[in-house]
Amino acid sequence: MKKILFMIMSVLGWMNLTSCNDYLDIVPKGNKIPATLADFEALLRDEYTIGYIPVTNSLYLLNDKFVGQSSLNSVTLTSVNYLWNETADRIVLNNQDEGTYYRSYMAVSTCNLLLEHVPVATEATDSERNEVMAYAKVIRAMSYYILANYYADTYVAATAGTKLSVPLITSADINAPHKQVTIQEIYDFMIKDVKEAIQQGLPRQSKTVIHPNLGAAYAFLARVYLQMANYEEALKYADMALEQNDNLYDWTSYYDTHKEAITKEGSYPSLPSAAGYDYVENYYFRCGEGNPNYATGELNIPVERAAGFEEGDARFLSRWKLRTVNQDTYYQGLARGYFNGAGLTTCEVYLIKAECLARRATGNDFSAAMDVLNKVRKTRILPEVYQPLQVSTLTEAIDLIRRTKDNDLIFTIVPFADARRFNAEGTFARTLSKTWKGQTYTLIPASHLWIMPFPAGAVQNPGNGTITQNVSK
């Protein structure tokens, strides 16, 4: 899967030029203009173009990804986010964090190209064409979800129709006009795309795990509706997703298998990633932070972040180990391989379901929500430590569900999007606090840091449209 055909991107540009000059009909030696469905479908397998979407600065803001002291001694975009520097002008500093923006739109552009040209692709049936188009619509919607929850405010029904989100681009033409739409419009577009994909015949069993299947579509709709605080729809689609796949990986067995290597004093083994392409929890695999062209190591996490894991969490014990190198102490990642950092998994869907059940509970009966949470925890918490959780208030339920979700989906967009959602709701908002070099730092729920600024290149060169920054600095 790693060495799939890479289409020549310049050829894709030629397909969208409006000029009729004869020289455009000349194919360079050794290159190929896509024509068959197989040619176009191969673009979905170019993971570096369509699946490599980092959300690095959101990880810094949450302090999920460790940053060494030497990288914090000057004012950079990294240090501003990691140390919650409210006074720095991130717009000026944002000449480096372009990966999230351009890689997301690269995936969008590929999907747009497929949706424009697959209908006339040769050597295929209508059903086969519809399947490829359905994959493209789900991937495009997921790319817009990352953009909307990174560069714009979170969804709030009362303001979603007036606040700006991100540019909505639906054409692969280089000079196609585009508009920066409202938050409501981008959410409506995502939902429409995915529901059309389902109607178009998205298969229960996709071609590969890097092609989103029917379960992935349901899981993504559950994620989107949760973000919109539409808990009934989120619950409905969570149940539909779990009907497609409800498997959970046994992390306690993984820990037992590798325990000797993990616990050996002074040893930092390179363990195989369990959350790769064959992870039983996958609906859809998308690399996110990890480069899909080669195996990468698990990211390191700060000591303070490690304290947020539940006692006896086998997933934590299997993935990180305390280490000190020179002036830095942190938890070093132990796994190496491929990680599903931007896709969809059953664990996320179970926890969406748990939150929705908790919110609809009556008479302080949170047992259904806790049953779902405990089902997940039983595959994560060592048997000698595990105890089923029970709660009597919604606040307790949300706190426990959120703890497991933040920990299980660390390094993905989800904890960042959830934090923004809870901050906007107010009831479950949190002020983050830490001490670094004797100084206390805080990040309040209303901070402008929760919205990432568009990169300078995008604002200065917006193409055939305009981009308005969603933050003041």
Side-chain angles (χ1 to χ4, degrees), residues 209-267:
V209 73
I210 63 172
H211 295 73
N213 59 20
L214 184 60
Y218 293 147
F220 180 67
L221 286 172
R223 177 192 287 183
V224 171
Y225 280 119
L226 181 70
Q227 200 68 29
M228 299 172 73
N230 188 336
Y231 305 116
E232 288 303 314
E233 287 296 291
L235 179 59
K236 180 181 81 172
Y237 283 106
D239 281 333
M240 292 170 72
L242 292 171
E243 287 176 4
Q244 300 293 316
N245 179 12
D246 63 355
N247 292 313
L248 287 168
Y249 184 78
D250 188 354
W251 280 94
T252 64
S253 293
Y254 180 92
Y255 177 73
D256 286 342
T257 299
H258 300 284
K259 182 177 179 180
E260 183 176 353
I262 292 169
T263 57
K264 184 178 180 181
E265 187 174 353
S267 173

Side-chain angles (χ1 to χ4, degrees), residues 61-62 84 86 149 153-156 163 226-227 231 355 359 398 402 406 414-432 442-451:
L61 192 76
L62 291 175
W84 306 327
E86 294 271 359
N149 282 281
D153 206 350
T154 193
Y155 184 96
V156 176
K163 286 188 175 182
L226 181 70
Q227 200 68 29
Y231 305 116
E355 181 179 342
R359 289 180 180 273
I398 295 295
R402 187 175 177 183
D406 284 352
V414 174
F416 181 68
D418 274 352
R420 288 157 34 102
R421 173 170 62 89
F422 287 123
N423 288 345
E425 184 180 4
T427 306
F428 308 110
R430 293 175 180 171
T431 295
L432 304 183
T442 58
L443 178 64
I444 62 173
S447 173
H448 66 277
L449 297 177
W450 288 106
I451 301 174

Side-chain angles (χ1 to χ4, degrees), residues 289-308:
E289 290 290 311
N291 191 313
N293 286 346
Y294 48 82
T296 58
E298 183 83 85
L299 299 177
N300 302 326
I301 63 175
V303 172
E304 296 81 4
R305 180 63 183 85

Side-chain angles (χ1 to χ4, degrees), residues 357-359 361-371 391-394 397:
L357 288 172
R359 289 180 180 273
T362 57
N364 291 334
D365 182 9
F366 298 100
S367 57
M370 290 299 100
D371 285 346
V391 298
S392 57
T393 68
L394 180 58

Side-chain angles (χ1 to χ4, degrees), residues 107-108 111-112 115 135-145 169-171 189-190 193 196 286:
V108 167
C111 292
N112 288 342
L115 292 168
Y135 294 144
K137 285 183 178 180
V138 175
I139 294 170
R140 181 170 68 176
M142 291 185 66
S143 301
Y144 273 123
Y145 181 88
I169 304 173
T170 57
S171 172
F189 181 82
M190 290 188 287
D193 244 7
E196 285 181 356
R286 205 178 195 196

Side-chain angles (χ1 to χ4, degrees), residues 114-125:
L114 291 173
L115 292 168
E116 290 172 6
H117 293 281
V118 163
V120 294
T122 61
E123 300 181 22
T125 65

